[in-house]
Amino acid sequence: MIISGKELSAQLKSDMAQEVATFPEKYGRVPHLVVILVGDDPGSVSYVTGKAKASEVVGIKNTTIRKPENISEEELLEIIARLNADDTVDGILVQLPLPRHISEEKVIAAIDKSKDVDGFHPLNVAALWQKQECVLPCTPKGIIKMLKRAGVEISGKRAVVIGRSNIVGLPVAKLLLNENATVTIAHSRTKNLPEVTREAEILVVAIGRPKFVTADMVSEGAVVIDVGVNRDPETGKLCGDVDFAAIEPKASVITPVPGGVGPMTICCLMENTIECFLRKQQK
Ligand code: NAP
């Protein structure tokens, strides 16, 4: 079974659009997401465009602020401070990566926690690990939604996550743990990785290496979630971390790249923006 993140996200966005359509009457306005894009890296431009398109579908107001590569850290922090203070702004997202002269850590920490729709703010991260109310990071949240929609029972399963980044690997592992899976986190120093991954009933791969996971690393009937976004060195086309053609016949459930986790990430960004908006209305 191939889980289409594209289809699921289209359904979820359509449900959200119906909900958002009721907001002007209930609350006097729709949620407002501000995306800051520094520089003109084609990958970042395409992600930001995708976020603006999704906002349009859902009916959320989207403002993209574009700044040149040489903007100073101080100026960027001033923009964020203004947006934090603006009551008409519900979500703030700074597209990563940032140029080297700007500290991503400082920028992420400068965003008001209640407007941190990416869920990267240290207070949101801490709240996640303490099981308190927080904004869940979009990619991990999207992965759990996909697993549930595919009818995958997570509780009691052996899950292996390859990758331990703050953005994907660690929070995915935490969300799987919250769902009562028994979780192993593998990384670049893991010895005998295929031995570890063959134990997985649920395998989540977030490395960033084209077709790194080969068929011999996956056990028959495993659920395989491919987070990676890479260029295939042979064809130049977009591909995941998993050798999809070789593993699809073995897996019980698998996500494709493109059209898998990626669309769900943007979908969850929309959901997070609505959640931040609603929390503010309820205060
Ligand atoms: P990252 O910060 O570079 O982390 C990569 C992780 O992979 C690290 O923990 C690293 O281990 C591990 N790793 C690298 N080589 C390995 C190896 N040979 N064996 C085992 N583990 C290895 O990357 P990221 O931000 O988590 O992103 C991972 C991938 O997901 C990228 O392709 C990215 O583009 C993609 N992504 C997709 C979405 C989406 O929406 N679809 C969202 C975010 C990211 P160490 O910690 O030991 O270095």
Side-chain angles (χ1 to χ4, degrees):
M1 177 190 183
I2 300 172
I3 323 179
S4 167
K6 210 173 158 185
E7 262 172 41
L8 176 55
S9 68
Q11 278 169 23
L12 294 173
K13 280 188 285 186
S14 152
D15 294 347
M16 282 188 257
Q18 282 187 22
E19 190 191 359
V20 170
T22 67
F23 289 172
E25 201 180 318
K26 277 192 205 156
Y27 308 113
R29 67 179 183 88
V30 295
H32 183 192
L33 169 66
V34 178
V35 177
I36 304 173
L37 171 61
V38 176
D40 50 14
D41 168 72
S44 295
V45 171
S46 130
Y47 284 132
V48 167
T49 309
K51 286 164 189 173
K53 276 191 190 151
S55 303
E56 206 177 305
V57 170
V58 173
I60 285 175
K61 181 177 172 191
N62 182 299
T63 305
T64 302
I65 301 178
R66 286 195 74 157
K67 289 289 166 189
E69 183 92 11
N70 63 359
I71 184 177
S72 68
E73 186 179 272
E74 201 186 358
E75 198 188 332
L76 185 56
L77 292 174
E78 275 168 17
I79 294 171
I80 293 169
R82 274 203 301 276
L83 295 170
N84 283 341
D86 185 341
D87 264 351
T88 68
V89 173
D90 305 293
I92 305 168
L93 182 154
V94 179
Q95 185 63 46
L96 302 178
L98 289 169
R100 280 217 193 129
H101 66 278
I102 300 176
S103 155
E104 289 188 353
E105 237 171 73
K106 259 195 205 170
V107 166
I108 290 168
I111 297 171
D112 189 307
K113 175 187 176 248
S114 67
K115 299 187 181 189
D116 169 39
V117 280
D118 254 342
F120 294 164
H121 190 286
L123 290 175
N124 267 321
V125 175
L128 167 65
W129 286 88
Q130 293 181 357
K131 279 196 175 175
Q132 292 168 358
E133 185 184 89
C134 63
V135 180
L136 292 179
C138 303
T139 303
K141 186 179 185 178
I143 290 171
I144 300 295
K145 273 185 194 291
M146 289 176 100
L147 288 170
K148 289 190 173 169
R149 186 56 74 102
V152 173
E153 173 75 39
I154 304 174
S155 180
K157 290 276 167 63
R158 271 167 300 160
V160 174
V161 178
I162 319 181
R164 55 177 167 179
S165 72
N166 288 328
I167 291 174
V168 193
L170 286 183
V172 169
K174 174 60 176 152
L175 292 189
L176 288 166
L177 189 61
N178 287 357
E179 298 289 336
N180 299 313
T182 301
V183 186
T184 301
I185 305 173
H187 44 78
S188 65
R189 312 277 177 93
T190 299
K191 296 239 163 64
N192 298 326
L193 185 61
E195 236 170 67
V196 176
T197 56
R198 277 196 293 269
E199 287 288 307
E201 294 170 282
I202 300 172
L203 178 63
V204 181
V205 192
I207 312 175
R209 293 194 174 197
K211 299 184 182 173
F212 177 87
V213 175
T214 46
D216 61 303
M217 295 170 76
V218 177
S219 71
E220 202 71 42
V223 171
V224 180
I225 305 289
D226 190 353
V227 187
V229 179
N230 314 292
R231 290 272 160 208
D232 186 325
E234 283 161 23
T235 63
K237 286 188 180 159
L238 225 53
C239 74
D241 289 346
V242 166
D243 185 346
F244 184 87
I247 291 171
E248 196 250 332
K250 275 186 113 174
S252 59
V253 171
I254 189 165
T255 59
V257 178
V261 175
M264 286 304 294
T265 298
I266 294 193
C267 176
C268 289
L269 173 67
M270 299 297 111
E271 199 177 277
N272 283 353
T273 307
I274 295 171
E275 277 175 24
C276 289
F277 169 83
L278 288 175
R279 269 192 211 124
K280 203 194 274 172
Q281 306 306 319
Q282 283 150 14
K283 268 185 190 162

